[in-house]
Amino acid sequence: MKQISNKEYEKYQQYLTDQLHGRILTPDGLRIVCASLDNDPEKIGKHMLEMLAKFRIEGIVK
């Protein structure tokens, strides 16, 4: 049976935390974001970059 490293386990724990707090983007979630921004690529890109900046400030992502 294969064992995972401590680093892999930490990443998995972070994934579970992100999932619990709604920070995992699913295909349905992406459809909702795109629809709410009128499927405009510029608006979608701007929104995604703003969210990334927000998450970096909050320390959620590196």
Side-chain angles (χ1 to χ4, degrees):
M1 183 185 213
K2 182 173 170 134
Q3 301 281 328
I4 64 172
S5 69
N6 287 340
K7 187 174 183 177
E8 291 171 324
Y9 182 73
E10 287 174 12
K11 284 185 178 183
Y12 178 68
Q13 289 298 320
Q14 183 62 47
Y15 168 79
L16 293 178
T17 301
D18 290 342
Q19 185 181 32
L20 180 66
H21 291 95
R23 294 187 289 246
I24 302 297
L25 185 59
T26 63
D28 287 336
L30 182 59
R31 281 188 206 100
I32 290 169
V33 169
C34 292
S36 70
L37 297 169
D38 301 322
N39 291 318
D40 181 348
E42 289 184 23
K43 289 180 184 177
I44 295 167
K46 183 178 177 186
H47 175 73
M48 293 296 175
L49 291 173
E50 288 171 352
M51 294 308 298
L52 178 60
K54 177 184 174 198
F55 289 159
R56 282 188 175 152
I57 289 170
E58 293 175 1
I60 297 169
V61 295
K62 297 177 185 176

